[in-house]
């Protein structure tokens, strides 16, 4: 294994310190905790906290800033942060209007974020929670009851964050986040597995001519292993599962995310995006916004995921609202 690290024990802490060193105008770290919050401190609006295991960068710390998150909690690589870490984040960002927790649907994340919410409620902080479960690949998995939360979570950060920035109250920020969750679906694939630093070897093995369809973002193998085919054919398989949900009708408008898994060249992501847009056009589905790049990764995994978000006027307004974070800038 070759990794640009000093050691596996301090990799998350060093990463967070490096982010603060790079973006001090955006983020600061809570002393003694793997938590990033806005450099400007808490503000008098609804605050958003998200997080999870590290290894998904730029999620989640890269989305701390104006129009998105107020705090991000970083667990060990592919490991949920502890309740006390989440609790400290909640306390740090609360400006008196309440806090919304955005949780990806993994058993450890759900349990630990809920425990933290209870701890904060005991302090008189109003906390609400939403759970993102956008992965259509599997109904249950090794680490979840129900569908996994993957790249669609970024759309929740963006739209709910913009709603909070606009002055919406906690009830409405949660309602808007839940509307995103109801209308977003994703599915991914891999050319090669990722290598967790502590494990020192790939999380699963693929032959040179094989791909994995339906992978998770924690190095989980997918639901189908097959011979590699042109990217258009691969995208068609991912889209077929997404369209089978029955929520993307002719005449509707969507946002598209072509998300790299960490090790995929942008050239290849743009080729995939070209075909996705052609497929949507053939179905009379218009694209209001497209994101192409690394948004929710799996360390160094080679592959990509497709996310579609069905829009209405409210979601579109907040999707297009300004944002200013280390990993997402929109004027």
């Amino acid at each position: 294994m070759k990794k640009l690290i000093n050691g596996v024990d301090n990799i998350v802490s060093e990463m967070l310190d490096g982010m603060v060193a790079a973006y001090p105008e955006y983020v600061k770290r809570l002393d003694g905790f793997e938590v990033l919050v806005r450099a400007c401190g808490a503000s008098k609006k609804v605050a958003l906290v998200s997080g999870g295991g590290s290894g998904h960068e730029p999620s989640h710390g890269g989305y701390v800033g104006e129009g998105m998150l107020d705090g991000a909690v970083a667990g060990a690589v592919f490991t949920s942060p502890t309740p006390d870490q989440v609790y400290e984040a909640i306390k740090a960002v609360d400006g008196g209007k309440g806090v919304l927790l955005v949780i990806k649907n993994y058993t450890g994340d759900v349990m630990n974020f809920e425990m933290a919410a209870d701890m904060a409620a005991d302090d008189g902080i109003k906390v609400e929670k939403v759970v993102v479960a956008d992965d259509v690949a599997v109904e249950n998995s090794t680490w979840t009851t129900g569908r996994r939360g993957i790249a669609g979570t970024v759309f929740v950060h963006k739209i709910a964050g913009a709603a909070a920035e606009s002055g919406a109250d906690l009830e409405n920020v949660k309602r808007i986040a839940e509307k995103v969750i109801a209308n977003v679906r994703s599915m991914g694939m891999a050319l090669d597995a990722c290598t967790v630093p502590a494990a020192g070897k790939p999380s699963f093995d693929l032959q040179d001519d094989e791909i994995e369809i339906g992978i998770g973002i924690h190095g989980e193998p997918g639901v189908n292993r097959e011979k590699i085919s042109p990217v258009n054919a691969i995208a068609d398989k991912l889209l077929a599962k997404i369209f089978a949900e029955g929520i993307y009708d002719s005449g509707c408008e969507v946002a598209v995310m072509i998300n790299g898994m960490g090790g995929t060249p942008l050239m290849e992501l743009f080729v995939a995006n070209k075909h996705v847009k052609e497929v949507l056009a053939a179905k009379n589905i218009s694209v209001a916004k497209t994101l192409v790049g690394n948004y929710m990764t799996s360390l160094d995994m080679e592959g990509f995921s497709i996310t579609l978000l069905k829009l209405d006027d409210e979601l579109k307004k907040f999707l297009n609202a300004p944002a200013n974070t280390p990993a997402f800038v929109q004027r």
Side-chain angles (χ1 to χ4, degrees):
M1 177 188 75
K2 292 189 288 187
K3 292 283 184 182
L4 295 173
I5 61 175
N6 296 309
V8 299
D9 293 337
N10 295 321
I11 186 171
V12 173
S13 182
E14 290 183 341
M15 173 189 71
L16 295 177
D17 287 343
M19 287 187 65
V20 173
Y23 303 110
E25 70 274 29
Y26 288 105
V27 294
K28 62 183 178 181
R29 183 175 175 180
L30 295 187
D31 290 340
F33 298 96
E34 276 70 56
V35 175
L36 296 181
V37 297
R38 294 192 191 188
C40 60
S43 57
K44 296 185 182 302
K45 68 171 192 66
V46 172
L48 267 69
V49 171
S50 190
S54 297
H56 306 304
E57 292 71 35
S59 292
H60 300 81
Y63 303 126
V64 173
E66 179 189 354
M68 292 188 77
L69 300 178
D70 296 86
V73 194
V77 174
F78 295 169
T79 303
S80 173
T82 59
D84 64 303
Q85 301 268 357
V86 182
Y87 171 58
E88 293 297 329
I90 294 170
K91 291 193 297 180
V93 303
D94 178 47
K97 301 294 185 179
V99 178
L100 179 70
L101 301 182
V102 180
I103 311 165
K104 299 189 304 301
N105 189 33
Y106 292 93
T107 302
D109 286 0
V110 172
M111 178 178 66
N112 290 345
F113 274 73
E114 286 183 343
M115 289 177 62
D118 290 342
M119 294 162 66
D122 289 342
D123 290 343
I125 301 173
K126 189 174 182 180
V127 181
E128 293 287 353
K129 308 174 291 290
V130 296
V131 179
V132 187
D134 56 309
D135 185 3
V136 302
V138 291
E139 289 299 325
N140 296 286
S141 73
T142 306
W143 295 343
T144 67
T145 299
R147 292 176 168 179
R148 302 174 293 207
I150 55 173
T153 309
V154 178
F155 279 133
V156 182
H157 294 165
K158 174 64 192 72
I159 291 172
E165 209 76 55
S166 76
D169 62 17
L170 183 57
E171 180 182 4
N172 272 303
V173 174
K174 180 180 180 180
R175 175 187 62 79
I176 291 164
E178 289 178 332
K179 186 194 289 190
V180 179
I181 292 167
N183 287 283
V184 69
R185 301 290 188 273
S186 306
M187 188 167 172
M189 61 76 61
L191 299 172
D192 280 305
C194 62
T195 299
V196 177
K201 61 181 181 180
S203 54
F204 54 86
D205 295 316
L206 287 173
Q207 298 300 313
D208 289 344
D209 62 346
E210 289 182 327
I211 62 173
E212 195 85 7
I213 301 291
I215 47 85
I217 58 171
H218 298 98
E220 309 100 307
V223 295
N224 185 45
R225 184 167 297 183
E226 59 190 54
K227 298 297 183 182
I228 190 168
S229 54
V231 67
N232 288 4
I234 295 170
D236 284 339
K237 291 179 181 179
L238 303 183
L239 286 170
K241 284 281 286 185
I242 292 171
F243 289 140
E245 296 290 291
I247 63 175
Y248 305 103
D249 308 316
S250 175
C252 76
E253 190 171 31
V254 300
V256 176
M257 181 188 297
I258 307 298
N259 173 62
M261 303 308 295
T264 311
L266 275 171
M267 173 187 286
E268 297 173 22
L269 298 180
F270 283 122
V271 172
N273 180 62
K274 173 182 179 292
H275 183 65
V276 170
K277 186 172 182 180
E278 290 169 348
V279 171
L280 292 170
K283 291 181 173 288
N284 192 34
I285 297 173
S286 60
V287 177
K289 191 174 191 66
T290 302
L291 303 178
V292 178
N294 288 322
Y295 292 93
M296 179 78 71
T297 65
S298 184
L299 291 170
D300 55 348
M301 181 181 285
E302 293 183 48
F304 76 105
S305 62
I306 299 172
T307 299
L308 299 184
L309 169 63
K310 185 177 180 179
L311 297 170
D312 62 10
D313 289 343
E314 182 178 49
L315 296 185
K316 187 176 178 180
K317 176 182 73 172
F318 290 127
L319 178 62
N320 290 326
N324 190 16
T325 81
F328 198 110
V329 176
Q330 181 169 281
R331 304 299 184 191

